[in-house]
Amino acid sequence: MTTLIESTIQQHQACIDACNKCMQACEECLSSCLKEPDVQARTHCINMLRDCADICSMTSQWMSRGSMFAKQFCEMCAMICEACATDCEKFQDDHCQECATYCRKCAEECRKMVA
């Protein structure tokens, strides 16, 4: 017998996983960006990475608890992930390009949840 929590988590698992991976990628990218010689040019991107990591973490939490507002969080998360990917793609570093890929995947999974 599947419990309500197990059912909710299974239903959202791909999106939860994408959010968690994106959060981690953003945190790692942010740390790497802070060490780059052109850190001043990355100020907007660094702030976007912080926002993206935060919304991904919160979205994962809200889906995990089966919140009735999870879809709204997914909608916001998709929007922020897309913006973060666009910012990261402006920099040619491997960490920025990899982060952009995780952001786009998370946005895709979040849009599936909203549909």
Side-chain angles (χ1 to χ4, degrees):
M1 174 180 255
T2 304
T3 68
L4 178 60
I5 292 172
E6 288 172 338
S7 175
T8 300
I9 290 174
Q10 288 171 356
Q11 180 184 4
H12 304 310
Q13 194 60 55
C15 193
I16 290 168
D17 291 344
C19 284
N20 289 336
K21 287 176 184 174
C22 186
M23 181 271 305
Q24 182 179 355
C26 286
E27 290 289 353
E28 290 172 1
C29 187
L30 184 141
S31 292
S32 294
C33 281
L34 289 172
K35 296 173 189 166
E36 295 291 344
D38 62 344
V39 68
Q40 286 303 116
R42 298 170 185 255
T43 304
H44 186 268
C45 187
I46 289 168
N47 286 328
M48 182 60 67
L49 286 161
R50 291 175 64 211
D51 288 349
C52 193
D54 286 349
I55 193 69
C56 286
S57 178
M58 288 175 39
T59 301
S60 174
Q61 291 169 352
W62 286 56
M63 281 187 288
S64 294
R65 70 176 70 132
S67 171
M68 66 180 158
F69 299 107
K71 284 190 178 186
Q72 288 87 342
F73 266 85
C74 285
E75 201 168 4
M76 179 69 70
C77 190
M79 183 176 69
I80 292 172
C81 284
E82 286 291 343
C84 189
T86 299
D87 274 5
C88 282
E89 288 169 343
K90 294 176 184 174
F91 300 96
Q92 296 308 310
D93 310 290
D94 288 343
H95 60 85
C96 287
Q97 295 299 310
E98 185 177 344
C99 185
T101 299
Y102 280 106
C103 287
R104 296 229 185 265
K105 177 66 176 165
C106 185
E108 177 185 324
E109 288 297 329
C110 282
R111 282 192 293 274
K112 286 179 188 176
M113 286 300 303
V114 173

